[in-house]
Amino acid sequence: MKKIVTILSYFTGLFFILGGCSDYLDSDYLFDERMSIEDVFTSEDYTNQWLARGYSYMGNAYLQDVCSKKDYPFNFADDMYFDGESNRYANWKAGQYRESGLNGESQGIWQNAYKGIRQVSIFLNYIDLNKEFSDQQIADMKGQAHFLRAYYYWIMLRTYGPVPIVPDEGVDYMKEYDEVAQPRNTYEECVDYIEKELVTAAETLPLQRSVEGLARPSKGAALALRAKVLLFGASPLFNGKAPVEVASALVDKQGRHLLPETYDESKWAKAAAAAKDVMDLNFYSLHISYRKETEAIGYPATVTPPYDENFSDKDWPDGWQNIDPFESYRSLFNGEVTASENPELIFTRGQNNSNENIAAMVLHQLPRTWGKGYNSHAMTQKQVDAYYMADGTDAPGMNSMYANLSGYAGRYDSRPRAAGYVTAEELTEYPELGTKGTGVSKQYAKREPRFYASVAYNGSTWYFLNADESAEEQKNKQIFYYRGEDNGYKISYSLLTGIGIKKYVHPDDISLIGNSYNRARIRVKTDPALRYGEILLIYAEALNELTGNYSIPSWDGSKVHSVGRIVSEMKKGIQPIRIRAGVPDYTDDVYADADLFRMKLKRERQIELFAEGTRYFDMRRWMDAPVEEAASIYGCNIYCSKEMADLYHTPVEVPSLAPVFSLKLWFWPIHHTELKRNKELTQNPGWTYPE
């Protein structure tokens, strides 16, 4: 019975310190007959069940990365928004919510992440009792558990900032409550702990998984997450440059500053070296689709990018001559390519998702009338403007609505936006619009391929290949959002910016059958939890911030990386992304100027990683949120009919979305219940303590 007491001590101690609910003994199903630890961890089946439960918390709605409005809202920043839900998004943007969050997210993230941490920590403490697994199997399972523990801490770190690191061996519940209360660790301590966990995981995890094991982490997944965590630790907010009002508020009850007080450039070098560790595996590459000359509905023939002397005459990976940039980017997300066939995918949650959250996201993106969706996820004008023209130049009028705001110098274009609409006779001049581009504003013509894979502009074509034409559904349908059109302004189910979203949408996708929403007609998607494209961007960003040269050991100490701001190395990070996208490289003056390159890099992440759950957190780590998040949201004038097309396409402020940025919006609040349970916890800046 001693070992039952030990495990219950661990459970109960965590319950008191970190919060929980009436079902905090989540693995009670293994103790229905008073099973001992030996019974659980000497059984192959029960041991596998225990580890599987450790994965299951990833599927909790509050712990998602890519998600619809049905889950937590961190996938919605200044780039896209959601409609409906009693003005949840408007409240989200304005900071009009309490310490519980909009929908219980504050406590939901905290509790479920710690439940996952507890589950895998117990596993690590007792897995060696099992003699039914080989040493290799146990090493692999331990690696998985270390990865999961790091992943759950990472989710909390990016959301709340520093959090308490629970002792790996657990807590003795027999101690007095005040004795087990635990303060938050510093940000650096959290990063160090997570990094060590991921190195430990990488030591035993395999480089490659079978098809059946794709949702389990590999060596590359551990190293990729390590690079991401170190990038955040090097970023201004977490590297000695936090605003005074934030840094001074994040001090625990013993007077310890939870954020670093001094800047350390070497953290950027460590992040760059960590990204290089992933690159040096020589296992991952960007996903590409090859050039196609024939056209089918939903699969247009390749549109050749404007001529570029560096990339047009070379095959991939040195150029785009033999690839289709549009399909390369589109098929990476829409389910056309399975996880096992995707060389870019480093880690996916697989079935550990909330209610097939990407399918739910697509359901909310599909047009109401012809796509049978909710028509409630939309893109902001700022995001539309971020995409380049096909020749790599800025779109005329880019960010012109922010020309007078500080923080936008060098980031807007004062030229008038393109005027006029594509006629039937001009379609051959604009092949990127497809065969049904008549009536499309020329603002949306001749843009880069990622634009057409992501933006459902007014007059874009939706394919709906799973449509049942016998039920009067239509395929290959051009959709307009003018007032009075089928999918235009209505009291409900309207796009408040008049701009929809196509990322993750497959040509097959359509939803409603009768009166029932049917995800069976939406292609299965793979969430890009960690992908190689982001690793390349991490490498380029981290190198750009260096003023000196550094020697950084690789993750396993097998070699030493020489790291510095070397343009040829920065190009290894940024050029593959640009080539795959069919967009020219940056000019020499951009590479020569760290400030210019930083501005371009941020824009590249905004485009490349759109709707992948990164921008909300990027804006905070860069400390750009006070400018970006407080700027008004613009879109088309959805109250205009087709007869007022010019007014429709003139950007206007969305009056019902009035964003602000205040002190409390740097970090998510800690729920009052958790503060009551743990008297040592320090609340985040701007949020209140319980009375």
Side-chain angles (χ1 to χ4, degrees):
M1 293 298 297
K2 179 179 179 182
K3 295 201 175 199
I4 289 182
V5 171
T6 301
I7 197 166
L8 292 180
S9 297
Y10 193 103
F11 270 127
T12 312
L14 283 182
F15 170 69
F16 283 122
I17 289 181
L18 304 168
C21 50
S22 61
D23 63 341
Y24 67 92
L25 294 181
D26 287 317
S27 297
D28 274 352
Y29 66 96
L30 294 182
F31 293 93
D32 288 342
E33 299 179 5
R34 303 294 293 171
M35 299 175 71
S36 69
I37 288 297
E38 286 83 354
D39 291 331
V40 175
F41 283 98
T42 57
S43 163
E44 180 178 352
D45 288 342
Y46 286 144
T47 299
N48 279 325
Q49 288 180 46
W50 196 284
L51 184 57
R53 180 60 68 96
Y55 278 95
S56 69
Y57 295 103
M58 279 193 174
N60 185 274
Y62 295 123
L63 271 62
Q64 302 305 301
D65 292 324
V66 180
C67 54
S68 77
K69 67 176 184 178
K70 291 296 183 183
D71 294 317
Y72 83 161
F74 296 110
N75 200 25
F76 300 84
D78 63 339
D79 50 355
M80 62 177 179
Y81 79 95
F82 57 85
D83 189 19
E85 298 289 322
S86 301
N87 296 317
R88 279 184 69 221
Y89 180 83
N91 293 337
W92 165 249
K93 291 297 292 181
Q96 296 176 355
Y97 48 91
R98 300 181 61 81
E99 282 73 9
S100 59
L102 287 174
N103 193 28
E105 297 93 343
S106 178
Q107 194 170 27
I109 297 169
W110 185 278
Q111 286 188 352
N112 283 284
Y114 273 120
K115 285 179 181 179
I117 291 166
R118 177 199 57 209
Q119 187 78 12
V120 297
S121 295
I122 294 171
F123 178 90
L124 286 166
N125 284 338
Y126 293 103
I127 180 58
D128 285 325
L129 293 175
N130 198 301
K131 304 304 179 185
E132 296 189 10
F133 296 104
S134 68
D135 291 345
Q136 184 178 1
Q137 287 175 310
I138 288 178
D140 181 15
M141 296 169 81
K142 283 183 176 180
Q144 295 176 52
H146 282 291
F147 176 88
L148 289 172
R149 187 156 64 184
Y151 202 96
Y152 289 126
Y153 274 121
W154 159 243
I155 289 174
M156 299 189 72
L157 184 64
R158 72 181 185 186
T159 308
Y160 301 101
V163 295
I165 300 293
V166 182
D168 294 344
E169 65 276 8
V171 180
D172 185 357
Y173 82 103
M174 297 299 291
K175 292 183 178 180
E176 294 294 326
Y177 171 74
D178 287 352
E179 293 183 81
V180 298
Q182 184 173 337
R184 298 167 73 169
N185 287 76
T186 67
Y187 194 92
E188 288 177 314
E189 288 170 345
C190 290
V191 169
D192 288 345
Y193 178 86
I194 294 171
E195 183 191 8
K196 289 175 182 176
E197 283 291 282
L198 292 169
V199 168
T200 300
E203 289 172 346
T204 60
L205 289 173
L207 183 60
Q208 188 170 12
R209 292 282 183 192
S210 65
V211 174
E212 294 77 13
L214 285 176
R216 294 177 182 262
S218 63
K219 186 185 302 293
L223 297 180
L225 182 57
R226 174 174 172 259
K228 194 166 185 174
V229 172
L230 290 176
L231 178 79
F232 270 64
S235 299
L237 181 62
F238 308 118
N239 192 7
K241 295 186 176 182
V244 173
E245 63 272 21
V246 176
S248 60
L250 273 174
V251 178
D252 69 14
K253 296 180 180 180
Q254 286 72 45
R256 286 201 315 165
H257 287 265
L258 299 181
L259 296 181
E261 297 181 79
T262 58
Y263 176 69
D264 182 357
E265 182 181 283
S266 70
K267 291 180 179 179
W268 288 109
K270 292 174 183 176
K276 192 65 164 60
D277 280 334
V278 181
M279 296 162 68
D280 284 353
L281 292 174
N282 294 316
F283 186 75
Y284 303 102
S285 61
L286 296 186
H287 162 72
I288 54 96
S289 296
Y290 286 101
R291 182 180 182 87
K292 54 184 180 295
E293 304 297 339
T294 58
E295 180 161 345
I297 295 177
Y299 297 88
T302 298
V303 176
T304 303
Y307 184 79
D308 178 83
E309 62 181 8
N310 296 311
F311 303 139
S312 288
D313 299 324
K314 299 174 184 175
D315 286 343
W316 177 261
D318 299 315
W320 57 59
Q321 180 175 242
N322 64 334
I323 68 170
D324 185 327
F326 163 77
E327 190 61 33
S328 294
Y329 188 78
R330 182 178 73 160
S331 61
L332 177 60
F333 306 102
N334 68 6
E336 183 73 26
V337 180
T338 64
S340 61
E341 297 171 326
N342 188 346
E344 186 167 348
L345 192 65
I346 300 176
F347 179 65
T348 177
R349 298 184 183 207
Q351 296 302 311
N352 298 310
N353 277 309
S354 170
N355 300 318
E356 300 176 319
N357 59 310
I358 301 182
M361 185 172 175
V362 169
L363 174 62
H364 287 81
Q365 291 171 197
L366 289 170
R368 182 69 173 177
T369 302
W370 298 106
K372 314 298 183 182
Y374 284 117
N375 199 42
S376 57
H377 285 189
M379 187 179 288
T380 64
Q381 186 68 48
K382 181 194 288 186
Q383 182 65 27
V384 171
D385 286 354
Y387 293 95
Y388 292 92
M389 300 299 290
D391 62 3
T393 60
D394 295 337
M398 178 190 73
N399 287 337
S400 57
M401 55 280 192
Y402 304 123
N404 295 322
L405 294 183
S406 62
Y408 278 86
R411 297 173 51 213
Y412 68 89
D413 189 296
S414 58
R415 294 174 296 170
R417 293 177 184 269
Y421 304 87
V422 176
T423 65
E425 294 74 23
E426 292 176 313
L427 283 179
T428 55
E429 185 182 345
Y430 303 104
E432 67 277 0
L433 301 180
T435 59
K436 294 199 171 190
T438 303
V440 171
S441 168
K442 290 183 179 179
Q443 293 182 39
Y444 305 136
K446 295 192 179 298
R447 302 295 287 270
E448 61 153 297
R450 289 176 297 186
F451 176 91
Y452 299 103
S454 304
V455 185
Y457 53 87
N458 188 37
S460 61
T461 301
W462 295 73
Y463 299 112
F464 309 138
L465 297 186
N466 274 334
D468 182 356
E469 294 179 312
S470 66
E472 298 185 349
E473 296 177 347
Q474 292 187 24
K475 301 178 181 180
N476 204 31
K477 183 73 176 174
Q478 190 178 20
I479 302 287
F480 285 96
Y481 299 117
Y482 292 117
R483 182 169 187 155
E485 299 286 339
D486 290 337
N487 291 278
Y489 172 73
K490 294 181 176 65
I491 294 176
S492 60
Y493 303 111
S494 297
L495 300 177
L496 294 184
T497 62
I499 309 159
I501 297 171
K502 279 193 175 179
K503 188 167 179 177
Y504 301 107
V505 177
H506 190 274
D508 288 347
D509 292 345
I510 189 171
S511 180
L512 191 68
I513 294 179
N515 292 316
S516 175
Y517 285 97
N518 190 323
R519 288 196 180 96
R521 297 204 297 175
I522 295 177
R523 181 76 72 99
V524 174
K525 325 290 179 183
T526 301
D527 74 295
L530 293 167
R531 66 179 176 97
Y532 190 58
E534 185 174 6
I535 295 300
L536 295 178
L537 291 172
I538 288 172
Y539 187 57
E541 178 181 355
L543 290 178
N544 182 60
E545 299 301 328
L546 300 178
T547 60
N549 296 314
Y550 298 84
S551 296
I552 307 294
S554 63
W555 73 275
D556 59 356
S558 62
K559 57 185 173 183
V560 175
H561 296 293
S562 296
V563 182
R565 193 183 186 280
I566 302 169
V567 170
S568 60
E569 287 298 310
M570 292 163 61
K571 288 185 176 182
K572 290 179 182 178
I574 209 72
Q575 274 191 351
I577 299 292
R578 304 280 288 183
I579 294 170
R580 196 255 301 271
V583 184
D585 195 8
Y586 301 141
T587 57
D588 290 343
D589 64 311
V590 170
Y591 281 110
D593 187 320
D595 293 333
L596 276 177
F597 187 87
R598 184 184 306 113
M599 184 171 64
K600 295 288 188 180
L601 185 284
K602 289 178 179 181
R603 182 174 173 186
E604 203 68 38
R605 284 185 66 95
Q606 180 183 358
I607 296 169
E608 178 70 19
L609 303 177
F610 169 68
E612 295 181 47
T614 62
R615 183 155 175 80
Y616 176 91
F617 300 107
D618 276 349
M619 287 191 293
R620 282 154 178 77
R621 70 178 177 90
W622 290 327
M623 300 201 313
D624 291 344
V627 171
E628 302 289 356
E629 291 275 47
S632 297
I633 293 174
Y634 284 82
C636 297
N637 191 335
I638 61 172
Y639 304 111
C640 292
S641 64
K642 187 175 182 179
E643 290 69 32
M644 298 181 286
D646 287 349
L647 287 176
Y648 181 92
H649 292 100
T650 300
V652 295
E653 187 175 350
V654 180
S656 59
L657 303 175
V660 298
F661 191 84
S662 60
L663 177 64
K664 69 179 185 178
L665 297 182
W666 284 104
F667 297 103
W668 199 240
I670 298 175
H671 197 280
H672 281 177
T673 301
E674 308 306 332
L675 293 166
K676 289 178 181 178
R677 287 182 175 133
N678 184 354
K679 71 180 185 66
E680 293 297 330
L681 279 182
T682 305
Q683 179 61 287
N684 273 325
W687 298 100
T688 67
Y689 284 90
E691 296 179 358

